[in-house]
Amino acid sequence: MKFELNEIASVTKLAGFEFTKYINYIPDGEIIAIRALNLKNGALVLDDIKRISRDVSDNLGRSKLYKNDIVLSYTGTIGECAQILENDKYHLAPNVCKITPHEDKVDPNFLFQYVRSHYFKQLMINYCHGSTQPTIPMAAIRTLPIEIPFDIVKQRKVAYILMCIDNKITINAKINKNLEEQAQAVFDLFYGQASIEVPFTSIIKIGGGGTPRTKVESYWNGDIPFFTPKDVGNPYALSTEKTITSAGLENCNSRFYPINTTFVTARGTVGKVSLAGVPMAMNQSCYALVGENIHPILTYFYTLKTVQSLRHKASGAVFDAIVTADFKSEKLKKISGDVEVKVLSLIKPMMDCILQKSIENSRLAQLRDTILPRLMSGEIDVLNVED
């Protein structure tokens, strides 16, 4: 059965005047304000958070977040979402809205799986207006079509199957996080023992990017991933929001960077570091860092040290851009050649495993999107699935 979203859920956002008049971010606030950057791949990402007081949150009760609410970004980065799993901890920030399921009409977990699907995201994008800051109006969100099985039991079965896929993705992500922490610890150990200091740009070269002309259709929607600050991976970027053609690559200032190239975001979301999980081009808001006689994996960890130093220098200032001069002024402790070989022998297998599990997660996410319509249509019988 097909419904408009507002027939099965309430859609609420934080009013602009409420934000400017009442909300004040404070370091020790009890309540986390969820912003668009805290939403990634259907989950909350809480490594960069803003907080507000409980009193402010209570006074803006309409935009408080409760268990089973879905938080959805509708400006800038469109369609990122996460499901809230606990009460009295989170609040809406600007540019995100909450979807509160009417639980007598729709299973909350089913609705979340539907909202996080590639199909629903594309539906939102079709309703957007604005080029530099795409936005979908609240009225359009409320009338988006939602197709749900009438039988609530079937909804729960569909949600259960998709949540099993999510659980595997979550397990892989935790393994990757643990492996990267171990790799970082190994690198830090030997980096701390190094005594020779060299300029950053004497061992790592800075590559640039560029954007093909947006009005030339033949340059876009090809099979070459086009990395921008929106595409930062954790740590690998495997897909990008935009793609270009071979003609687009020939008509922009970007090289075709290989797997394990280190990307650093220089404008927009500044100072984020990512590895290319597949060969890709890059726009001008990033730098590509390539080591001279240094393995790309070690280039990544050297870069993390440098970005950490840049952030430290910018503490208390507006860190809104990185320029090439910033790298030229940086120095690194260079691990000696024989020791580098040892470090790489320890770190590379971990990073190879991270890449493989990242690829597996990407395929699982594609499976989740592919299987949803087949589950709903009855092509796959869900009623015989045991919880």
Short mmCIF file of all heavy atoms in Angstrom, two decimals, residues 204-230:
data_model
loop_
_atom_site.label_atom_id
_atom_site.label_comp_id
_atom_site.label_asym_id
_atom_site.label_seq_id
_atom_site.Cartn_x
_atom_site.Cartn_y
_atom_site.Cartn_z
N ILE A 204 57.01 13.91 0.85
CA ILE A 204 55.63 13.71 0.38
C ILE A 204 55.24 14.88 -0.51
O ILE A 204 55.34 16.05 -0.10
CB ILE A 204 54.65 13.59 1.57
CG1 ILE A 204 55.00 12.35 2.40
CG2 ILE A 204 53.21 13.52 1.08
CD1 ILE A 204 54.17 12.20 3.66
N LYS A 205 54.82 14.56 -1.71
CA LYS A 205 54.45 15.58 -2.68
C LYS A 205 52.94 15.82 -2.65
O LYS A 205 52.16 14.92 -2.40
CB LYS A 205 54.88 15.17 -4.09
CG LYS A 205 56.39 14.97 -4.23
CD LYS A 205 57.15 16.21 -3.77
CE LYS A 205 58.65 16.01 -3.86
NZ LYS A 205 59.40 17.18 -3.30
N ILE A 206 52.59 17.08 -2.94
CA ILE A 206 51.19 17.50 -2.86
C ILE A 206 50.60 17.60 -4.27
O ILE A 206 51.08 18.38 -5.10
CB ILE A 206 51.06 18.85 -2.14
CG1 ILE A 206 51.68 18.77 -0.75
CG2 ILE A 206 49.60 19.28 -2.04
CD1 ILE A 206 51.81 20.10 -0.05
N GLY A 207 49.58 16.81 -4.51
CA GLY A 207 48.89 16.85 -5.80
C GLY A 207 47.56 17.58 -5.68
O GLY A 207 46.95 17.61 -4.61
N GLY A 208 47.14 18.15 -6.78
CA GLY A 208 45.90 18.92 -6.78
C GLY A 208 44.79 18.23 -7.53
O GLY A 208 44.94 17.14 -8.08
N GLY A 209 43.66 18.87 -7.54
CA GLY A 209 42.49 18.36 -8.25
C GLY A 209 41.81 19.45 -9.03
O GLY A 209 42.27 20.60 -9.06
N GLY A 210 40.73 19.12 -9.66
CA GLY A 210 39.98 20.10 -10.43
C GLY A 210 38.64 19.53 -10.83
O GLY A 210 38.42 18.31 -10.76
N THR A 211 37.75 20.40 -11.23
CA THR A 211 36.39 20.00 -11.59
C THR A 211 36.13 20.27 -13.07
O THR A 211 36.35 21.40 -13.53
CB THR A 211 35.36 20.77 -10.74
OG1 THR A 211 35.59 20.50 -9.36
CG2 THR A 211 33.93 20.37 -11.10
N PRO A 212 35.68 19.28 -13.81
CA PRO A 212 35.30 19.54 -15.20
C PRO A 212 34.13 20.53 -15.26
O PRO A 212 33.38 20.67 -14.28
CB PRO A 212 34.85 18.16 -15.72
CG PRO A 212 35.36 17.17 -14.73
CD PRO A 212 35.45 17.88 -13.41
N ARG A 213 33.96 21.18 -16.38
CA ARG A 213 32.87 22.15 -16.52
C ARG A 213 31.54 21.45 -16.28
O ARG A 213 31.22 20.44 -16.92
CB ARG A 213 32.90 22.78 -17.90
CG ARG A 213 34.09 23.69 -18.13
CD ARG A 213 34.08 24.27 -19.52
NE ARG A 213 32.87 25.06 -19.77
CZ ARG A 213 32.54 25.56 -20.96
NH1 ARG A 213 33.31 25.33 -22.01
NH2 ARG A 213 31.44 26.27 -21.11
N THR A 214 30.78 21.98 -15.34
CA THR A 214 29.53 21.31 -14.94
C THR A 214 28.46 21.37 -16.02
O THR A 214 27.54 20.54 -16.02
CB THR A 214 28.98 21.96 -13.65
OG1 THR A 214 28.81 23.37 -13.86
CG2 THR A 214 29.93 21.74 -12.49
N LYS A 215 28.56 22.30 -16.94
CA LYS A 215 27.54 22.44 -17.97
C LYS A 215 27.77 21.51 -19.16
O LYS A 215 26.91 21.43 -20.05
CB LYS A 215 27.47 23.89 -18.45
CG LYS A 215 26.96 24.86 -17.39
CD LYS A 215 26.85 26.28 -17.92
CE LYS A 215 26.32 27.24 -16.86
NZ LYS A 215 26.21 28.63 -17.37
N VAL A 216 28.91 20.82 -19.16
CA VAL A 216 29.19 19.89 -20.26
C VAL A 216 28.75 18.50 -19.82
O VAL A 216 29.43 17.83 -19.04
CB VAL A 216 30.68 19.89 -20.64
CG1 VAL A 216 30.94 18.93 -21.80
CG2 VAL A 216 31.13 21.30 -21.01
N GLU A 217 27.60 18.05 -20.32
CA GLU A 217 27.01 16.80 -19.86
C GLU A 217 27.91 15.60 -20.12
O GLU A 217 27.93 14.64 -19.35
CB GLU A 217 25.65 16.58 -20.52
CG GLU A 217 24.58 17.57 -20.07
CD GLU A 217 23.22 17.25 -20.66
OE1 GLU A 217 23.10 16.20 -21.33
OE2 GLU A 217 22.29 18.05 -20.46
N SER A 218 28.70 15.65 -21.19
CA SER A 218 29.53 14.50 -21.55
C SER A 218 30.68 14.28 -20.58
O SER A 218 31.36 13.26 -20.64
CB SER A 218 30.09 14.68 -22.97
OG SER A 218 30.92 15.83 -23.04
N TYR A 219 30.89 15.25 -19.66
CA TYR A 219 31.96 15.11 -18.67
C TYR A 219 31.49 14.37 -17.40
O TYR A 219 32.31 13.99 -16.57
CB TYR A 219 32.50 16.48 -18.25
CG TYR A 219 33.24 17.23 -19.34
CD1 TYR A 219 33.57 18.58 -19.16
CD2 TYR A 219 33.63 16.62 -20.53
CE1 TYR A 219 34.26 19.29 -20.14
CE2 TYR A 219 34.32 17.32 -21.52
CZ TYR A 219 34.63 18.65 -21.31
OH TYR A 219 35.31 19.36 -22.27
N TRP A 220 30.19 14.20 -17.25
CA TRP A 220 29.64 13.75 -15.96
C TRP A 220 28.89 12.43 -16.08
O TRP A 220 28.49 12.01 -17.15
CB TRP A 220 28.73 14.84 -15.37
CG TRP A 220 29.51 16.07 -15.03
CD1 TRP A 220 29.71 17.16 -15.82
CD2 TRP A 220 30.26 16.28 -13.84
NE1 TRP A 220 30.53 18.07 -15.19
CE2 TRP A 220 30.89 17.56 -13.97
CE3 TRP A 220 30.47 15.56 -12.67
CZ2 TRP A 220 31.70 18.10 -12.96
CZ3 TRP A 220 31.27 16.09 -11.67
CH2 TRP A 220 31.88 17.33 -11.82
N ASN A 221 28.69 11.81 -14.89
CA ASN A 221 27.93 10.56 -14.76
C ASN A 221 28.57 9.40 -15.52
O ASN A 221 27.88 8.56 -16.09
CB ASN A 221 26.48 10.75 -15.21
CG ASN A 221 25.77 11.82 -14.39
OD1 ASN A 221 25.90 11.87 -13.17
ND2 ASN A 221 25.04 12.70 -15.07
N GLY A 222 29.90 9.37 -15.47
CA GLY A 222 30.63 8.27 -16.06
C GLY A 222 30.98 7.22 -15.02
O GLY A 222 30.29 7.09 -14.00
N ASP A 223 32.04 6.47 -15.26
CA ASP A 223 32.40 5.40 -14.34
C ASP A 223 33.65 5.70 -13.52
O ASP A 223 34.21 4.81 -12.88
CB ASP A 223 32.60 4.09 -15.12
CG ASP A 223 33.64 4.20 -16.23
OD1 ASP A 223 34.26 5.27 -16.35
OD2 ASP A 223 33.83 3.22 -16.96
N ILE A 224 34.08 6.96 -13.51
CA ILE A 224 35.25 7.36 -12.71
C ILE A 224 34.78 8.07 -11.45
O ILE A 224 34.15 9.13 -11.52
CB ILE A 224 36.18 8.30 -13.52
CG1 ILE A 224 36.71 7.57 -14.76
CG2 ILE A 224 37.33 8.79 -12.65
CD1 ILE A 224 37.52 8.46 -15.68
N PRO A 225 35.03 7.50 -10.27
CA PRO A 225 34.65 8.18 -9.02
C PRO A 225 35.35 9.54 -8.92
O PRO A 225 36.51 9.68 -9.30
CB PRO A 225 35.14 7.22 -7.93
CG PRO A 225 35.26 5.90 -8.60
CD PRO A 225 35.66 6.20 -10.02
N PHE A 226 34.60 10.54 -8.39
CA PHE A 226 35.11 11.91 -8.31
C PHE A 226 35.04 12.35 -6.85
O PHE A 226 33.99 12.72 -6.34
CB PHE A 226 34.27 12.82 -9.21
CG PHE A 226 34.80 14.23 -9.32
CD1 PHE A 226 36.03 14.47 -9.93
CD2 PHE A 226 34.08 15.30 -8.83
CE1 PHE A 226 36.52 15.76 -10.04
CE2 PHE A 226 34.56 16.59 -8.94
CZ PHE A 226 35.78 16.83 -9.56
N PHE A 227 36.19 12.29 -6.17
CA PHE A 227 36.26 12.52 -4.72
C PHE A 227 36.14 14.01 -4.39
O PHE A 227 36.80 14.85 -4.98
CB PHE A 227 37.59 11.99 -4.19
CG PHE A 227 37.73 12.07 -2.70
CD1 PHE A 227 37.30 11.03 -1.89
CD2 PHE A 227 38.30 13.18 -2.09
CE1 PHE A 227 37.43 11.08 -0.50
CE2 PHE A 227 38.43 13.26 -0.71
CZ PHE A 227 38.00 12.21 0.09
N THR A 228 35.26 14.31 -3.40
CA THR A 228 35.11 15.65 -2.84
C THR A 228 35.08 15.51 -1.32
O THR A 228 35.03 14.39 -0.80
CB THR A 228 33.81 16.34 -3.32
OG1 THR A 228 32.70 15.78 -2.61
CG2 THR A 228 33.60 16.17 -4.82
N PRO A 229 35.08 16.63 -0.56
CA PRO A 229 35.04 16.51 0.90
C PRO A 229 33.84 15.73 1.43
O PRO A 229 33.89 15.22 2.55
CB PRO A 229 35.00 17.98 1.36
CG PRO A 229 35.77 18.71 0.31
CD PRO A 229 35.37 18.03 -0.98
N LYS A 230 32.77 15.61 0.65
CA LYS A 230 31.60 14.85 1.10
C LYS A 230 31.86 13.34 1.14
O LYS A 230 31.09 12.60 1.74
CB LYS A 230 30.40 15.11 0.17
CG LYS A 230 29.85 16.52 0.24
CD LYS A 230 28.65 16.65 -0.68
CE LYS A 230 28.05 18.04 -0.62
NZ LYS A 230 26.87 18.16 -1.51
#
